[in-house]
Amino acid sequence: MNNNIFPCLWFNGDGKEAADFYCEIFNGKITADTPVVLNIKLFGQKLMFLNAGPQFEKNASISFTILCESEDEVQQYWNNLIKNGIILMDLAEYPWSKKYGWVRDQFGVTWQIYLGESKGDQRIIPTLMFIHQNNGQAKKAIEFYTSIFPNSKVGGILKYGEGVGNENHEISENIQHADFEIDHYTMFCMDNSHDHQFDFNEGISMVVMTDDQIQTDHLWNSLLLDGGRESMCGWLKDQFGVSWQIVPKRLLELMNDFDQPQKAQKVVEAMMGMQKIVIADLEHAYNS
């Protein structure tokens, strides 16, 4: 399983409470616990939580599909996630699944609980919904992402015109559901023409841990193509508005050098002034 790619969820101070909640539901564990950053593992998959304040709210433009192996498992997760949550689609039988439901939990994270075919060891699948100006762009996004990342491939693509539960009369050529892999990490996506009151934002981003500057430069430059926008500290938005964090592993090594806290702090200060992370400049700050 590729844990060099994983989602990052933005919380307004309640990240630890959410981490405990999910670890209890999914039998996970907290692997890093600081006031700002928490890492958890669910089904062996890494998720990062940022206790970063009220600036961004998570929404259903990126949800998490849970692939379940039995109806009882679906029911168990559903019963827990709907506590103080909001049901977006009732738990029921649908053309694509014998038992499926969509819920926004008490922390603002949306989950699609799905009884169906597994995707290897990966049980949690980030699911991108292309809406507003992006509606109809899901196929383009799949081609874009799989052209950038190594070890990528396009899986199944189901269009709305292919007759599986298109009650909302979506454009027939738009994608109802598709799966693809980027560097062996599975993602789902869909088009949707409903006028939702949200869109992609920094509330949920995708983190990519890189091995060196060459890989960092390639991903950074490629994801910015055709209208992407640079942000700070390794963050960027691609042409669709999806947020990515391109993070060299060396940054974490230098920042977490607990034997040299003053040097580690210099690295943090250097990183705070960067857009794309430059490893050589981090090394210089550490050694200065």
Side-chain angles (χ1 to χ4, degrees):
M1 184 182 302
N2 184 352
N3 270 317
N4 287 328
I5 301 176
F6 51 88
C8 174
L9 289 73
W10 191 288
F11 289 88
N12 183 18
D14 55 355
K16 180 61 164 60
E17 183 182 353
D20 290 336
F21 179 66
Y22 300 135
C23 287
E24 180 178 358
I25 292 174
F26 300 113
N27 192 28
K29 62 179 181 180
I30 296 174
T31 58
D33 186 356
T34 73
V36 177
V37 178
L38 296 101
N39 293 331
I40 66 173
K41 276 198 172 180
L42 307 179
F43 307 109
Q45 292 176 238
K46 181 176 180 179
L47 293 85
M48 183 169 80
F49 294 177
L50 287 181
N51 268 324
Q55 295 93 325
F56 305 108
E57 292 188 6
K58 300 173 290 296
N59 64 60
S61 61
I62 300 182
S63 59
F64 298 100
T65 300
I66 303 290
L67 302 181
C68 298
E69 298 173 345
S70 69
E71 292 189 41
D72 287 345
E73 188 180 20
V74 172
Q75 192 70 55
Q76 175 189 341
Y77 297 150
W78 180 262
N79 290 344
N80 283 288
L81 290 169
I82 63 173
K83 294 175 182 176
N84 300 313
I86 299 171
I87 295 174
L88 303 180
M89 289 183 68
D90 288 328
L91 185 64
E93 181 175 348
Y94 293 90
W96 56 87
S97 176
K98 188 175 180 180
K99 197 162 191 175
Y100 166 92
W102 196 340
V103 58
R104 182 182 188 270
D105 71 24
Q106 60 184 292
F107 299 101
V109 182
T110 51
W111 304 87
Q112 300 187 57
I113 315 300
Y114 177 87
L115 176 63
E117 183 181 354
S118 66
K119 293 293 179 183
D121 294 334
Q122 189 176 333
R123 299 281 304 279
I124 303 175
I125 315 292
T127 304
L128 309 180
M129 183 163 59
F130 289 84
I131 55 181
H132 303 145
Q133 73 277 5
N134 284 323
N135 186 34
Q137 298 294 303
K139 186 172 185 295
K140 179 182 178 182
I142 293 171
E143 294 169 349
F144 180 64
Y145 297 139
T146 55
S147 72
I148 290 171
F149 288 86
N151 307 307
S152 297
K153 65 179 182 180
V154 180
I157 293 179
L158 178 68
K159 296 180 180 179
Y160 281 105
E162 292 167 343
V164 182
N166 186 13
E167 293 86 358
N168 295 326
H169 306 292
E170 299 277 356
I171 297 170
S172 61
E173 287 301 303
N174 282 4
I175 290 178
Q176 184 177 39
H177 176 84
D179 66 272
F180 61 99
E181 290 183 14
I182 53 173
D183 202 6
H184 302 303
Y185 185 86
T186 299
M187 300 184 71
F188 291 164
C189 68
M190 67 182 77
D191 289 307
N192 188 286
S193 63
H194 185 76
D195 186 22
H196 296 285
Q197 300 304 304
F198 55 78
D199 211 332
F200 296 128
N201 69 6
E202 292 86 344
I204 300 177
S205 58
M206 295 302 302
V207 180
V208 185
M209 303 299 299
T210 58
D211 293 325
D212 52 35
Q213 193 66 50
I214 293 174
Q215 186 183 20
T216 301
D217 291 349
H218 165 70
L219 293 175
W220 182 269
N221 295 333
S222 298
L223 286 167
L224 284 172
L225 290 172
D226 300 324
R229 289 171 288 162
E230 295 180 318
S231 187
M232 298 300 294
C233 306
W235 289 65
L236 64 84
K237 284 190 175 185
D238 66 27
Q239 61 182 286
F240 308 104
V242 177
S243 291
W244 298 81
Q245 299 181 54
I246 310 302
V247 183
K249 295 173 184 176
R250 185 59 175 149
L251 170 62
L252 299 190
E253 292 171 0
L254 294 171
M255 284 175 56
N256 295 326
D257 187 349
F258 300 114
D259 293 330
Q260 299 286 346
Q262 291 181 331
K263 290 187 173 185
Q265 181 59 35
K266 288 181 179 179
V267 172
V268 173
E269 292 169 359
M271 181 270 295
M272 294 295 288
M274 296 180 182
Q275 292 181 313
K276 179 181 71 178
I277 304 300
V278 180
I279 297 172
D281 292 347
L282 298 177
E283 300 273 9
H284 177 75
Y286 181 86
N287 294 312
S288 63

